[in-house]
Structures are given as C-alpha cells and as structure tokens.
C-alpha cells in the first residue's frame, strides 16, 4: 500500500480554503479524520450545544468529502491512541493539520501528538489558517503580516481525493461519552451551508444597521453577522469571509446614495472586527497560561468566590432586569452581542466581586461560538486584570435604558416583569407598591431585589483595583505586558496607576468586538 496522508480536522470543518487537505491530496491517498476526544469534552469549557453545532457540521463535512472520493473517518478516543491504531493498519506517510489556538487541554494534546509523530518518523505538518502567527517573536509588523496572509488566494477544494481502502468511516456519535445534556432551543444550526447563507444575507442587506444594532442584544441578533460559531469551528475560513466582505465593499466604490454609504460604513466596521479577532487570538497563542492566571500577576487572588452570588448570576436572578434578560437569552440561544457579553463579565467581576475564572467558564459553556483565543483575553480585559486596559464598569440599569429603551427584550426574557410599565420594568425596585400590585409582582418572591447596590459596589471594586495598580513595580510589569500583547497599529497606551488611559485612547480601548 502507498503511504497514506492523514488530514486531521479540528476547528476547520470545510473542504474549501483548507491548505492541509489540498497539500495532502497532491501527495497520494488521503484519510480525512476527525477525533471525538472524551478528554476534551470533559473540560469545564465544553457543552452539549457546542457539540450539537459541531455534529451538524461533521455530517455536512462527511458528505462533502465523500463527493471528493474519501468520506470523513470519525473515531472516538484520545489522539495518540487513535493514531497508533491507524499506524498499525496503514503506512502513514504524513500527518497534516491546521495550527490550532485552543484551550490548555488541546495545547497539551498537540504536544503529545508531536512527540508520537517524531518517535515514529512521521512528518507532522501544521499550516496556518488565519492571521495568527505561531512562534511570533514580536508584535512589530503583525498587521502587515496579517494583511499579507489574508490577501492570498482562497485554496480551492481538491478535484478528487484518493481514498484509503479498508478503513470504515465509523459513526458520528450522538454525543461524546459523559457529555451532559444541554437544552438550547435557540441554538444556531451548524454546517457550511448555514454559514454561507448567513454570510450572503449579511452582505446583501442584514448589515445595513450593523454599526448601530451591534450594541443591543435584540437588534444585534438580527443585524450582526452571526458568523461567530462558523468561524470558531471553521465551517468558513476567516480569509474567505474577509475577501467576500471586501468584494462587496468594492461594489460600493464611488456610490453616494445614503444606503450605499451606510452599507460601506457597516462593512468597513465588520472588516475591522475580523482583524481584531485575530489580534486577540494571537494573545492566547503567545501566552497560553492566560486561560488560568491573570495577565498581570499582581491581580492573582484579588477576588474571591461567593457561590450564592455566582448561582444567582448564572440563573438570571441578579435583580437587574436587563442583566438577567441577557443571561437568560444567552442560556437559551447560545449567542449574545459583544457589549452584553462584556457587561455580564463586568457585573460578575466588579459589582459581584467574583474571581474572573468562574463566570468565564459558565459563559464559555453557554457560548455556541466559544473561541478560547477570543474568550480568555476578552474576559480578562473586561475584568480589569490585564494591567494595560482601562477599567470598564457597567451600570446595569443604564445599559438597559441605552440598549432596551422600550423594555421589549426584558419583557421577553424576564416575563415576570412584562406587565410592569416603563420605566419600572428596568428598575422594578423603584416602582410604587400599587404599580407592582397591578402588575402582579411581589419583589423578593416573583423577582429578586438587586444583589447589591450597583453603583456603590462598582466604586468599591474600582478602588480595590486602583490600589493594586499603585503598588510598587506594577507599572513596570504592565509595560512588559503591553510590549508583548499590545497592538502596534492602534498604539495602545499604558494606563496610569489610577487605571485611566492616557489622552491618546487607542482603538483597542474603544472597539466593541
């Protein structure tokens, strides 16, 4: 038998713009492989909604590969054991995969696979699939390198794959062993076809109110691209999304109609967020430990844990209606707009003074689009533990009036308050007793009072963090963090010891990803 190239699919569930698949197809027989790894799905950031999206994507990927001549092979087990069992059956000429910036578990697993491949003399070729650069020595010139990679032509699917005889594709399991049930009635559908449909509708017309709608959870659910889970699991590549958006933008060149100008602004904003997406993933690629410890070591152990507060937050029972509506919506749909995600982290870490890891893991499980490289740097940014970003506290009442001024979102997700008139629906503790009675609401029974005084708790939290920023040696460590992780393009300034940014506030501090 001729040597076989194994193409290991991970977060790249497509046949288009898949360089490892295209390169392996030029060499000889190809065995496309996906591993359902029990250890990965036992991690505290994994959930059934993520698997359900992924499974739908695997079904579609298997069909696409079968049309090319080699259906997807699926195996349940740990990577090294599965690869060794295949080595005993077929001569492996090479292992191909995309580079992955995953969680700590996948980082350790990849090291084990590399060691196994070296021990058996099997070349393990990992290729880039995004603007993230492995073994990056300096952030200088990073944006230029990102642009160069993203402008390369899309890699077409191979015309044909030479299959490996005698290998049973195996079933795609309904659920990995031990993974808990996770009802999510509003979850997005997986698979490349769904991703292409979203991309086309966004570029056609959904994007028109994008810049305004992205800040509100109700409007954002319609007018944001909703491509995040497809980018997270790779049913679409970020390069093809970028190039499609730029192609649509070029059709608007020279047009002066208000709608054309509005659309052009929306697409430029969207393209900017694709750039910043890789910028944040690069942080985890460069420093995997930020999943487990704060960027700035002086914040280690600053906050504690209050299980009762954390449970109330997770159940959407904080007593702040807009916060609770966002939490309940996320639990039921697996998606939330960025500003609301930032608010949920900030409320947990400032007003409720919880250590950032516990609420971050709950959110990771809820996000169908969980992307470790986005999640962990962003959580720390919102929790104030980077040492280089301004402190971001959110007034949970003001956020409601800003982004749900008519109270429709709250009425939908906190139905016990739906009969309360505005503005009391967003701050029920201020409603007169007769208004509460008419709406059938008894605070403390039907809906809780706020867990804490939001403004006072935020002020106390900021004071505690500012005290840490004033410690000797804090600024020097912050400078090192900025040098390693800060954006050269945006010119992120180092905050002073009071936590305030210098006047030249950067794009990183302003941008709502």
């Amino acid at each position: 038998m001729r040597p076989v190239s194994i193409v290991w699919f991970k977060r790249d569930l497509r046949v288009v713009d898949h360089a490892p698949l295209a390169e392996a197809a030029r060499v000889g027989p190809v065995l496309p492989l996906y591993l359902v790894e029990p250890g990965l799905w036992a991690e505290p950031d994994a959930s059934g909604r993520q698997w359900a999206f992924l499974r739908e994507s695997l079904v579609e990927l298997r069909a696409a590969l079968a049309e090319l001549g080699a259906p997807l092979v699926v195996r349940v087990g740990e990577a090294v054991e599965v690869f060794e069992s295949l080595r005993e059956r077929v001569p492996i000429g090479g292992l191909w995969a995309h580079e992955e910036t995953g969680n700590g578990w996948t980082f350790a697993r990849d090291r084990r696979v590399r060691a196994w491949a070296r021990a058996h003399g099997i070349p393990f070729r990992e290729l880039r699939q995004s603007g993230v650069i492995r073994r990056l020595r300096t952030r200088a010139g990073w944006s230029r390198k990102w642009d160069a990679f993203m402008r390369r032509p899309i890699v077409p699917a191979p015309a044909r794959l030479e299959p490996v005889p005698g290998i049973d594709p195996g079933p795609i399991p309904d659920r990995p062993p031990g993974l808990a049930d996770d009802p999510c009635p509003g979850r997005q559908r997986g698979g490349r076809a769904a991703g292409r449909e979203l991309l086309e509708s966004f570029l056609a017309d959904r994007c028109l109110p994008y810049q305004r709608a992205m800040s509100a959870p109700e409007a954002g659910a319609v007018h944001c691209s909703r491509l995040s889970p497809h980018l997270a699991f790779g049913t679409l590549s970020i390069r093809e999304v970028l190039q499609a958006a730029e192609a649509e933008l070029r059709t608007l060149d020279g047009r002066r109609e208000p709608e054309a100008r509005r659309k052009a602004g929306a697409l430029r904003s969207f393209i900017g967020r694709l750039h910043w997406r890789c910028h944040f993933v690069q942080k985890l690629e460069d420093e995997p430990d930020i999943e487990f410890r704060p960027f700035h070591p002086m914040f280690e152990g600053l906050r504690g844990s209050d299980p009762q507060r954390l449970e109330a937050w997770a159940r959407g029972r904080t007593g702040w209606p807009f916060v609770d509506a966002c939490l309940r919506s996320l639990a039921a749909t697996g998606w939330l707009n960025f500003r609301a995600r930032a608010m949920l982290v900030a409320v947990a870490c400032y007003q409720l003074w919880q250590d950032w890891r516990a609420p971050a893991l709950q959110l990771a499980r809820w996000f169908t689009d969980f992307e470790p490289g986005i999640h962990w740097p962003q959580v720390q940014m919102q929790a104030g533990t980077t040492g280089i970003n301004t402190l971001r506290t959110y007034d949970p009442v003001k956020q409601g009036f800003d982004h749900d001024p008519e109270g429709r979102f709250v009425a939908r997700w906190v139905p016990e308050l739906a009969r309360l008139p505005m503005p009391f629906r967003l701050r029920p503790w201020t409603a007169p007793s007769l208004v509460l009675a008419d709406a059938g609401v008894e605070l403390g029974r039907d809906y809780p009072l706020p867990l804490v005084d939001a403004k006072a708790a935020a002020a106390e939290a900021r004071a505690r963090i500012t005290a840490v920023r004033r410690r000797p040696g804090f600024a020097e460590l912050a400078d090192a963090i900025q040098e390693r992780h800060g954006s050269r393009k945006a010119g992120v300034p180092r905050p002073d010891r009071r936590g305030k940014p210098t006047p030249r506030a950067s794009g990183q501090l302003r941008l709502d990803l």
Side-chain angles (χ1 to χ4, degrees):
M1 182 184 292
R2 297 170 61 199
V4 170
S5 292
I6 294 179
V7 178
W8 181 14
F9 286 84
K10 293 187 274 188
R11 286 177 169 258
D12 51 358
L13 306 180
R14 60 186 185 273
V15 297
V16 175
D17 208 24
H18 199 294
L21 181 66
E23 293 295 328
R26 295 188 182 100
V27 176
V30 173
L31 193 159
L33 177 69
Y34 185 84
L35 302 178
V36 181
E37 302 166 277
L40 176 61
W41 292 99
E43 285 292 288
D45 57 12
S47 66
R49 64 192 61 191
Q50 296 163 9
W51 167 255
F53 183 97
L54 188 150
R55 189 183 189 283
E56 291 165 354
S57 303
L58 290 177
V59 169
E60 194 170 316
L61 176 62
R62 171 171 277 182
L65 287 165
E67 288 185 7
L68 299 177
L72 182 68
V73 174
V74 176
R75 294 290 184 267
V76 178
E78 303 305 333
V80 169
E81 287 75 13
V82 173
F83 287 130
E84 180 61 22
S85 67
L86 289 171
R87 189 183 71 85
E88 293 172 355
R89 296 194 59 186
V90 297
I92 300 177
L95 176 60
W96 297 81
H98 272 127
E99 293 175 346
E100 178 185 21
T101 305
N103 62 13
W105 191 95
T106 66
F107 179 74
R109 171 257 274 149
D110 284 354
R111 294 180 68 179
R112 294 193 298 270
V113 171
R114 290 189 199 101
W116 169 85
R118 283 195 303 270
H120 295 286
I122 297 172
F124 184 13
R125 301 178 179 91
E126 294 179 281
L127 306 180
R128 285 175 67 186
Q129 70 165 328
S130 73
V132 178
I133 302 169
R134 184 153 288 180
R135 291 177 290 276
L136 184 68
R137 293 185 177 182
T138 174
R139 274 295 186 117
W142 183 88
S143 291
R144 183 178 67 254
K145 296 172 185 175
W146 185 93
D147 287 336
F149 181 84
M150 291 298 174
R151 298 311 183 270
R152 294 179 189 173
I154 301 298
V155 179
R160 180 181 176 277
L161 296 175
E162 182 180 344
V164 178
I167 300 294
D168 179 14
I172 300 175
D174 292 334
R175 192 185 303 171
L179 185 64
D181 189 26
D182 179 26
C184 186
R187 176 185 60 81
Q188 287 183 245
R189 181 164 51 94
R192 181 174 174 82
R196 288 294 309 177
E197 182 180 327
L198 283 170
L199 177 59
E200 291 165 8
S201 66
F202 179 71
L203 297 180
D205 54 26
R206 282 197 302 112
C207 68
L208 283 171
Y210 176 68
Q211 290 172 291
R212 173 178 50 81
M214 72 170 78
S215 294
E218 188 173 45
V222 177
H223 296 292
C224 286
S225 75
R226 302 302 302 272
L227 292 171
S228 52
H230 295 280
L231 293 174
F233 288 102
T235 61
L236 302 177
S237 76
I238 189 171
R239 180 162 53 189
E240 65 179 315
V241 171
L242 172 75
Q243 293 189 15
E246 290 184 329
E248 182 66 23
L249 184 59
R250 285 193 293 272
T251 69
L252 305 172
D253 285 348
R255 292 178 57 181
R256 307 298 297 173
E257 307 96 317
E259 185 170 295
R261 296 176 66 179
R262 184 182 176 200
K263 186 175 186 179
L267 292 177
R268 290 190 190 98
S269 182
F270 175 68
I271 289 167
R273 280 151 180 80
L274 294 177
H275 187 286
W276 281 94
R277 183 182 194 279
C278 291
H279 166 71
F280 275 93
V281 176
Q282 186 72 57
K283 295 173 186 283
L284 186 64
E285 175 67 33
D286 292 345
E287 194 169 355
D289 282 352
I290 62 175
E291 177 185 350
F292 306 103
R293 61 169 182 77
F295 273 100
H296 199 297
M298 287 191 180
F299 288 119
E300 186 71 59
L302 176 65
R303 296 174 170 101
S305 177
D306 184 326
Q308 289 184 326
R309 285 187 178 183
L310 187 62
E311 182 184 5
W313 175 88
R315 291 175 57 205
R317 300 278 294 174
T318 67
W320 298 303
F322 184 66
V323 171
D324 292 338
C326 289
L327 287 160
R328 297 182 194 186
S329 170
L330 173 59
T333 68
W335 185 88
L336 197 62
N337 65 312
F338 174 79
R339 183 178 291 276
R341 297 184 189 208
M343 177 191 68
L344 295 184
V345 174
V347 166
C349 295
Y350 286 96
Q351 278 91 349
L352 303 184
W353 200 242
Q354 300 298 293
D355 183 75
W356 56 277
R357 278 274 299 171
L361 285 170
Q362 178 63 71
L363 292 175
R365 292 189 292 272
W366 272 339
F367 292 154
T368 304
D369 59 7
F370 172 59
E371 174 71 69
I374 300 291
H375 189 68
W376 295 112
Q378 278 291 338
V379 164
Q380 291 215 42
M381 187 173 170
Q382 303 305 331
T385 56
T386 66
I388 64 173
N389 297 108
T390 190
L391 302 184
R392 299 181 173 202
T393 55
Y394 289 75
D395 183 326
V397 178
K398 182 179 183 299
Q399 289 296 305
F401 282 103
D402 286 349
H403 305 300
D404 186 28
E406 297 178 9
R408 291 197 306 263
F409 185 72
V410 165
R412 178 182 178 186
W413 293 106
V414 190
E416 58 266 43
L417 300 180
R419 292 176 58 194
L420 270 179
M422 290 292 290
F424 303 120
R425 192 181 302 162
L426 297 183
R427 48 186 185 198
W429 58 91
T430 66
S433 57
L434 287 178
V435 173
L436 290 170
D438 286 345
V441 176
E442 182 181 333
L443 295 178
R445 183 195 68 182
D446 304 308
Y447 186 73
L449 289 162
L451 291 171
V452 296
D453 181 307
K455 291 185 178 180
E460 182 180 355
R462 291 179 67 91
R464 291 181 180 182
I465 293 176
T466 299
V468 175
R469 286 177 178 256
R470 289 174 172 164
R471 290 178 185 172
F474 183 95
E476 289 74 16
L477 289 170
D479 285 341
I481 295 166
Q482 168 61 30
E483 179 63 26
R484 184 171 189 180
H485 294 291
S487 167
R488 303 301 187 267
K489 184 174 181 179
V492 179
R494 175 176 61 81
D496 65 21
R497 295 187 185 185
R498 295 179 302 278
K500 297 180 180 179
T502 60
R504 186 170 57 90
S506 73
Q508 184 176 359
L509 300 182
R510 295 193 307 267
L511 189 62
D512 286 328
L513 299 180

